[in-house]
Amino acid sequence: MKQLMQGNTAAARGLYEAGCFFASSYPGTPSTEITEELAKYDEVYCEWAPNEKVAMEAAFGASLAGRRSFCGMKHVGLNVAADPLFTVSYTGINAGMVICVADDAGMHSSQNEQDSRHYARAAKLPMLEPSDSQEALEFFRIAYDISEEFDSPVIVKMCTRIAHSQSLVETGERKEIPARPYEKNIAKYVMMPGNAIKRHPVVEERMRRLAEYAETSPLNRVEEGSDNSTGIITSSTCYQYVKEALGDKYPVLKLGMIWPMPDRMIREFSGHVGRLVIVEELDGFIEEHCRALGLQCEGKSLFGYLGELSQNIIADKLGVPVHSGVKLSESVKIPARPPMMCAGCPHRGIFYALKQAGCTVLGDIGCYTLGAVAPLSAMEMTLCMGASVSALHGFSKAGGKNAVAVIGDSTFMHSGMTGLANIAYNQSAGVVIILDNSITGMTGHQQNPTTGRNIKGDPAGKIDLESLCRAMGFGRVRVVDPYNLKECADALKEELSAGEASVIISRRPCALLKYVKHNPPLKVDAEKCKGCKSCMRIGCPALSMKDGKARVDSTLCVGCGVCKQLCKFGAFIGGE
Ligand code: SF4
Ligand code: SF4
């Protein structure tokens, strides 16, 4: 029976059916649900790792021990894991190892729009690219066979549209794969120069064999069209757009294996069509390869390098009406819904205190990046995971004053600790604020090493942030409640004037966690409210002004009482 399934759910099903035994991932939109869904199968051990590098190395270890393994991450996470990635390409694997990277064209939830296909070419690894949920299931399953046949990790590349769209899926049964025996093999697995030099030709030979496999693999296929004046080469979500835009008008070479590419197949396809058009999002990865083969083609000159494509764009650029007739009217405007911190978000209080203190706030990756949004506008830099702490050190050493780093608990575990070690070791003054909301918030409430729970919500190891910071050599470590504006302001003032590095842990669980008990919503005494709008400066979505008076939306307010602390006229009722 076919089921409607999200791409990530289907990917998890494919991993399960393939006999995956071990999965270690770091959450990152749009990849997170793969590991969450996989954790629902008791036959597969699943965990959240502190970061993507750890996840990939753990997956490699499981493969070495003889079990099919998996690690998943978003595109920027692959940068973190790039170090092991390039060398597992040399060692190869024991049992099959599959790596998922999920790109985010259009930057729905990311700080850049990098095209991860380049990693397959640079690290000399095979990469598959499904174009719907059924393919997601099948490609993850097939990836293990390729991995074991070619002694190579295999990357499966998802993207936001494939990961989060739903389509029909036919599921199968799980194949139980016995453990492969672990065999000591220093020449294969110890990548010191003398051994690595001998492994490089093995990698090149493997890529040659994989390129041969790509020529006949059912992962790549030609679909005939009625008009050979144009031929399209495409993959992934662009394949769906092409079919919606053009139907069966032009022949299509659909690449399911994006690296290595089937050169003979591409040449042959090109020889049967007049104009060769490459439809791909972001970089001209396929296009450049076709040009390197000496083929004349068009791609980026039509579709550009930015954001997502659509059936409309493809039909417009190729000068044909949309085949499916599903052309969105340009006049249909979806109202903008800018992201904002939730009502009662514990980050709001500390950002308000930072703004009042006039600090230069170096930020990080998490829901608290919204501290940069008006009316708080309290964050001035965000680069990548962990960068707030490292950049604070450089900022302070270079003479920057009154600066703080803000970083979430999960991000701190991911890559903030090493920056903090640098501050402790190379001795700079600055205040690092760990925003401990006791969960990985932005990706949808995943556990992390500070929460004391594992991926299934069961008790697990718990790292004590205060002890960790003290063990690193910080004498000034204090905890504040971000719902208490005065406490935050006093702590900031004291630590900024201390003349030495310090850590403030702003601790309050995310207001959306199920176990968090809320106070009744506040009310405004219209007699006392003077309409001064002081309370509006914290930007709580539960607050608005009507007829010159503040108003609380009781369906949103969680009674945190932060707004009440800003009202000089005592107009708020409740929130004690
Ligand atoms: S701060 Fe107090 S007086 Fe001013 S608008 Fe808000 S509720 Fe009214
Ligand atoms: S108490 Fe005030 S700040 Fe807190 S959620 Fe309610 S309206 Fe927002």
Side-chain angles (χ1 to χ4, degrees):
M1 190 185 72
K2 291 197 172 184
Q3 303 169 39
L4 199 57
M5 230 182 237
Q6 193 193 57
N8 279 348
T9 309
R13 180 74 198 184
L15 290 164
Y16 164 77
E17 289 182 11
C20 176
F21 181 87
F22 177 95
S24 185
S25 303
Y26 186 79
T29 309
S31 71
T32 312
E33 298 86 359
I34 299 177
T35 309
E36 284 182 326
E37 289 296 322
L38 192 57
K40 292 177 182 168
Y41 297 106
D42 288 338
E43 295 89 337
V44 189
Y45 170 80
C46 288
E47 65 180 23
W48 292 126
N51 68 30
E52 297 84 356
K53 179 178 185 289
V54 174
M56 189 175 289
E57 291 158 349
F60 173 67
S63 157
L64 202 60
R67 289 299 194 166
R68 286 189 165 186
S69 69
F70 167 76
C71 60
M73 60 205 70
K74 68 184 292 174
H75 59 316
V76 286
L78 193 55
N79 303 337
V80 179
D83 199 356
L85 182 80
F86 278 70
T87 306
V88 290
S89 174
Y90 274 41
T91 61
I93 48 89
N94 181 20
M97 177 174 167
V98 172
I99 299 160
C100 172
V101 60
D103 279 11
D104 189 18
M107 290 180 277
H108 298 278
S109 186
S110 304
Q111 67 268 41
N112 75 32
E113 207 172 15
Q114 74 186 44
D115 187 332
S116 297
R117 294 176 298 176
H118 296 292
Y119 271 108
R121 182 165 55 194
K124 299 175 189 286
L125 288 169
M127 179 180 269
L128 314 185
E129 233 190 348
S131 66
D132 60 22
S133 297
Q134 182 70 56
E135 283 194 352
L137 187 153
E138 286 166 11
F139 283 19
F140 274 89
R141 206 170 49 194
I142 293 166
Y144 280 108
D145 298 332
I146 298 173
S147 176
E148 288 173 0
E149 187 180 339
F150 292 91
D151 188 10
S152 170
V154 174
I155 306 172
V156 181
K157 179 185 163 286
M158 300 285 276
C159 65
T160 303
R161 297 295 169 190
I162 303 300
H164 288 165
S165 298
Q166 301 199 34
S167 59
L168 286 174
V169 170
E170 180 111 45
T171 58
E173 295 300 315
R174 177 172 168 89
K175 203 162 78 174
E176 284 302 342
I177 308 287
R180 289 184 166 198
Y182 168 70
E183 282 168 20
K184 181 174 173 179
N185 188 343
I186 291 173
K188 185 170 188 285
Y189 295 123
V190 181
M191 285 302 94
M192 55 190 179
N195 292 341
I197 282 168
K198 292 183 193 125
R199 289 298 299 175
H200 191 178
V202 176
V203 172
E204 298 300 335
E205 171 59 14
R206 177 184 75 208
M207 291 313 288
R208 192 197 60 72
R209 289 195 299 124
L210 277 160
E212 225 16 78
Y213 167 83
E215 300 288 354
T216 53
S217 165
L219 293 165
N220 301 321
R221 66 170 187 262
V222 172
E223 295 176 5
E224 300 300 337
S226 55
D227 177 355
N228 279 15
S229 64
T230 295
I232 312 275
I233 304 182
T234 189
S235 70
S236 184
T237 190
C238 291
Y239 165 77
Q240 303 294 352
Y241 299 149
V242 164
K243 296 311 274 187
E244 282 179 38
L246 309 172
D248 296 329
K249 182 175 171 63
Y250 299 136
V252 171
L253 169 52
K254 178 190 178 300
L255 296 177
M257 188 168 191
I258 202 72
W259 194 256
M261 280 186 235
D263 293 353
R264 284 201 305 278
M265 201 176 190
I266 290 171
R267 279 207 173 91
E268 204 174 305
F269 180 78
S270 160
H272 285 96
V273 299
R275 176 193 190 197
L276 183 63
V277 176
I278 317 298
V279 183
E280 57 189 326
E281 284 173 345
L282 303 180
D283 295 342
F285 186 78
I286 304 171
E287 182 180 352
E288 284 162 22
H289 189 77
C290 290
R291 289 190 194 283
L293 292 176
L295 303 175
Q296 277 202 340
C297 57
E298 295 164 76
K300 291 296 119 183
S301 59
L302 292 168
F303 303 111
Y305 294 85
L306 311 178
E308 297 183 291
L309 298 182
S310 67
Q311 67 268 45
N312 286 7
I313 294 171
I314 291 164
D316 285 350
K317 296 294 177 187
L318 294 179
V320 295
V322 173
H323 163 81
S324 65
V326 192
K327 181 164 182 173
L328 289 172
S329 161
E330 299 303 328
S331 63
V332 175
K333 292 273 184 265
I334 297 167
R337 198 165 63 100
M340 62 169 71
M341 286 181 202
C342 308
C345 173
H347 302 323
R348 187 171 278 113
I350 193 81
F351 277 117
Y352 180 79
L354 284 164
K355 186 169 186 186
Q356 293 304 106
C359 294
T360 299
V361 180
L362 308 181
D364 224 294
I365 306 291
C367 45
Y368 49 89
T369 311
L370 293 169
V373 174
L376 289 164
S377 308
M379 187 183 285
E380 298 172 41
M381 186 284 289
T382 307
L383 190 64
C384 63
M385 299 283 280
S388 61
V389 185
S390 320
L392 174 67
H393 174 73
F395 195 84
S396 303
K397 284 282 187 190
K401 298 273 182 265
N402 210 33
V404 306
V406 293
I407 184 164
D409 48 329
S410 182
T411 311
F412 180 72
M413 282 289 120
H414 178 284
S415 47
M417 286 191 293
T418 41
L420 200 68
N422 193 35
I423 291 178
Y425 171 48
N426 286 311
Q427 301 276 296
S428 58
V431 180
V432 174
I433 303 174
I434 302 174
L435 305 173
D436 180 8
N437 65 353
S438 309
I439 204 72
T440 311
M442 189 167 71
T443 45
H445 285 182
Q446 288 74 35
Q447 305 293 338
N448 69 59
T450 68
T451 65
R453 299 271 160 189
N454 65 18
I455 193 169
K456 289 178 186 271
D458 296 331
K462 178 173 167 57
I463 290 173
D464 183 278
L465 287 170
E466 293 94 303
S467 304
L468 177 69
C469 297
R470 289 204 180 94
M472 280 185 169
F474 287 83
R476 303 185 69 91
V477 179
R478 62 197 289 177
V479 179
V480 297
D481 177 358
Y483 277 0
N484 186 330
L485 295 182
K486 182 167 182 328
E487 188 186 3
C488 292
D490 290 348
L492 266 177
K493 198 169 166 197
E494 282 169 31
E495 298 311 324
L496 283 166
S497 57
E500 64 176 286
S502 65
V503 177
I504 299 174
I505 299 167
S506 171
R507 178 166 291 144
R508 179 60 85 156
C510 171
L512 300 183
L513 283 167
K514 285 199 185 90
Y515 68 79
V516 172
K517 298 266 178 293
H518 297 308
N519 290 324
L522 269 61
K523 291 193 174 103
V524 176
D525 182 337
E527 294 295 312
K528 290 187 179 171
C529 177
K530 307 290 179 220
C532 69
K533 296 189 184 169
S534 289
C535 55
M536 300 299 289
R537 287 182 302 187
I538 52 165
C540 176
L543 284 174
S544 59
M545 298 296 294
K546 192 175 181 204
D547 302 330
K549 305 281 180 184
R551 212 170 55 142
V552 175
D553 181 340
S554 62
T555 62
L556 290 177
C557 176
V558 298
C560 73
V562 171
C563 55
K564 185 176 182 173
Q565 296 166 52
L566 297 177
C567 181
K568 285 186 264 175
F569 304 99
F572 284 98
I573 306 162
E576 302 306 329

